[in-house]
Amino acid sequence: RTGGRPTRGGSSDLEDGHLFWNLANQQAYEFQEDGLNEGYARVNAELENMLYAGLGELEASNCQYLEDTSDRIQHLMLIPLIQATLSYAIVMEDEPSSYGIRNAEFAA
């Protein structure tokens, strides 16, 4: 399937979803933070809630709460990116230094 998010309730397939959704699921598995009650990463569940909250705030023209929700969404989106960077750093720790330097520059 192309685009969109997985069906409500998630999937046991960690590759269900695209881009950020999938990255969050993979990193949740790596960091053992997968929020099994939803079937997908807790950060994805919270992000989904914040997106729906933002939609309601947008429809109600409630700019103050929308700004707060937007800030929360931005912070939530950092979690899988930071986890992926840490995972990659751990993997690269045992690689030859020339690869490590090049990849550390890429991560920065």
Side-chain angles (χ1 to χ4, degrees), residues 32-99:
Q32 299 173 352
E33 292 287 336
D34 54 5
L36 293 176
N37 55 337
E38 290 96 6
Y40 47 85
R42 277 187 295 219
V43 70
N44 282 343
E46 192 169 344
L47 181 61
E48 183 178 34
N49 289 337
M50 291 291 104
L51 290 170
Y52 280 119
L55 176 62
E57 293 156 1
L58 185 62
E59 289 173 346
S61 297
N62 190 336
C63 296
Q64 177 60 44
Y65 286 119
L66 180 60
E67 185 176 352
D68 294 342
T69 300
S70 174
D71 289 344
R72 180 69 181 141
I73 289 170
Q74 289 176 33
H75 287 104
L76 286 172
M77 292 183 76
L78 288 175
I79 294 170
L81 298 175
I82 292 169
Q83 289 175 328
T85 302
L86 290 172
S87 292
Y88 190 70
I90 291 167
V91 167
M92 293 308 296
E93 185 175 43
D94 296 329
E95 293 297 317
S97 62
S98 64
Y99 292 118

